[in-house]
Amino acid sequence: MRVNDAVSGVLIMLLSAVLFANTFTFPAVPGVQYGAAVFPRAVLAVMFGAGAWLTVKGLMTVKAAGWIQIDAWARRPGSWIMFALIVAGMLFYILAADAIGFVPVSGIIIFVLLLAARGRTHLLSSAILALSFPLLLYYVFVNALRVPLPAGWLGGVL
């Protein structure tokens, strides 16, 4: 499914305007003429300009392309089911990772997504990936990169 660039451009301009207005609440830095809001305001001004460019570009092509084009993937129910599973996985991680831990939660998410994408014929390889990949990620992030991930139930083991 494709949305005309004018729609995206207007949304980007609205988001950048709201965020730009929020920069006025940033604290001033004592002894400096510029504060913490200078760089965000510059980025948001560029973002607003890009949104305006997208809007103009989209309005020039709206007659030929229309406002919304529905691609073949959007007509298949399986695509929407996979999309819903991805969103559900993100919500599950947000709600459960601190209590249960990174490794079990991400393992469950990976297993469910692999099962939905590959089917039951690849059950064993999906299970192996769902067990090994989160452990590898946990090791790399916690030990090599020093990024704290929630240990949860496996806190004493990992």
Side-chain angles (χ1 to χ4, degrees):
M1 183 163 66
R2 296 181 193 163
V3 178
N4 189 293
D5 285 345
V7 176
S8 302
V10 168
L11 291 175
I12 289 171
M13 289 186 336
L14 285 172
L15 177 65
S16 61
V18 168
L19 292 174
F20 191 91
N22 188 43
T23 63
F24 289 100
T25 64
F26 290 3
V29 178
V32 180
Q33 291 180 345
Y34 57 89
V38 172
F39 183 70
R41 285 181 188 161
V43 170
L44 291 167
V46 171
M47 190 169 140
F48 188 88
W53 177 76
L54 270 176
T55 303
V56 170
K57 180 182 162 204
L59 289 175
M60 293 187 327
T61 63
V62 75
K63 286 185 181 179
W67 290 102
I68 296 176
Q69 296 174 348
I70 299 175
D71 293 335
W73 72 265
R75 293 185 183 97
R76 292 190 302 266
S79 300
W80 291 102
I81 291 170
M82 188 59 112
F83 176 74
L85 285 173
I86 291 169
V87 172
M90 288 188 293
L91 290 173
F92 177 58
Y93 182 84
I94 290 168
L95 296 173
D98 285 336
I100 299 173
F102 173 81
V103 173
V105 169
S106 59
I108 292 168
I109 294 169
I110 291 171
F111 183 70
V112 169
L113 290 175
L114 286 173
L115 195 62
R118 302 169 77 199
R120 292 183 185 166
T121 56
H122 300 282
L123 189 63
L124 182 61
S125 62
S126 295
I128 291 170
L129 284 171
L131 288 172
S132 60
F133 197 65
L135 287 169
L136 176 69
L137 281 177
Y138 188 85
Y139 176 77
V140 168
F141 274 89
V142 172
N143 295 325
L145 299 175
R146 304 279 186 218
V147 175
L149 293 176
W153 296 341
L154 302 175
V157 178
L158 298 173

